[in-house]
Amino acid sequence: MSTRSSLAKRLGVVAGFDDPRAELEQYPTPPELAAHIVHVADLQGDLAGRTVVDLGTGTGMLALAAALRGADRVVGVELDSDPILTAADNEEKVGTTSEIEWIQGDATRSPVAPAPADTTVVMNPPFGAQHGNRGADKEFLETARSIASVSYSVHNEGSQEFLEAYTDDVGGTVTHAFAAEFELDNQFAFHEDEQRSLDAEVYRIEWS
């Protein structure tokens, strides 16, 4: 089993978005954060012998991390066609031997239907910061609930109360929560700083 740091290093070659779309909140997931999420998933037994679905995969960072860490099968779902092409190129760069399928589709409409008992979702969904994206993370969670028995997701800081209330209502349990921080480069016209630090939180949820 590769270490978390060695996994992050291998993910360092993963290319980000060529032309990121602000309305889709296309921010790259940092290698260190992807490695951390997948490391925890592996320790919890949520990778081996399972299908891992990355909802809103972008250029494939979380999907590739899961593949490198030994998931049996990985599916990356992305609405935008351009990042899917980059994800396929990234797959060749990292040299994983696990089966990966890249699907262009809406992650909020269950474009895949694996067996939930054998499926783990990993995702860094939109936080809902852009107009028209309010509640986007909830829609991603609803998809995760419908296709998986466990999910790992990145959310805006201060989301624990919402997530615990939501999972209580729909039949789920937040089992793990940890803080995350990553640097965002200036990639949109409305960004004023060259780089800024974003405080976020990662949650593991078991769905019943």
Side-chain angles (χ1 to χ4, degrees):
M1 180 175 69
S2 61
T3 64
R4 180 173 133 191
S5 59
S6 65
L7 177 59
K9 185 175 182 180
R10 290 189 67 179
L11 293 170
V13 301
V14 173
F17 297 94
D18 290 331
D19 187 20
R21 294 170 57 182
E23 72 275 15
L24 296 180
E25 298 188 35
Q26 289 181 334
Y27 298 97
T29 303
E32 295 79 9
L33 178 56
H36 190 176
I37 292 170
V38 169
H39 176 74
V40 173
D42 195 11
L43 293 178
Q44 294 299 314
D46 295 328
L47 296 183
R50 298 175 67 85
T51 294
V52 175
V53 179
D54 179 6
L55 297 175
T57 191
T59 62
M61 184 67 79
L62 285 169
L64 292 166
L68 287 170
R69 201 56 184 266
D72 278 15
R73 175 175 177 253
V74 179
V75 180
V77 179
E78 171 59 42
L79 182 64
D80 191 359
S81 60
D82 288 343
I84 285 286
L85 298 176
T86 304
D89 290 339
N90 285 331
E91 181 182 355
E92 293 187 12
K93 286 182 182 179
V94 303
T96 177
T97 57
S98 294
E99 177 188 355
I100 305 180
E101 182 178 4
W102 305 107
I103 297 176
Q104 184 182 359
D106 187 346
T108 68
R109 297 178 183 273
S110 300
V112 293
D118 302 319
T119 302
T120 298
V121 161
V122 293
M123 56 184 179
N124 183 5
F127 288 175
Q130 296 301 313
H131 179 72
N133 273 356
R134 301 298 180 190
D137 55 347
K138 183 178 178 181
E139 292 181 335
F140 274 67
L141 287 167
E142 289 172 351
T143 299
R145 179 170 68 96
S146 70
I147 66 172
S149 58
V150 62
S151 66
Y152 292 80
S153 51
V154 184
H155 297 269
N156 206 1
E157 183 184 35
S159 296
Q160 186 161 355
E161 184 177 353
F162 153 70
L163 282 168
E164 289 181 343
Y166 171 73
T167 53
D168 284 347
D169 286 343
V170 301
T173 304
V174 174
T175 63
H176 296 69
F178 56 89
E181 181 178 320
F182 54 92
E183 301 296 327
L184 295 179
D185 292 331
N186 184 328
Q187 59 182 23
F188 298 120
F190 57 83
H191 284 167
E192 298 179 355
D193 301 321
E194 283 302 312
Q195 191 177 68
R196 64 189 181 97
S197 179
L198 178 67
D199 292 323
E201 296 165 350
V202 180
Y203 293 87
R204 179 184 185 271
I205 301 172
E206 291 182 355
W207 302 103
S208 54

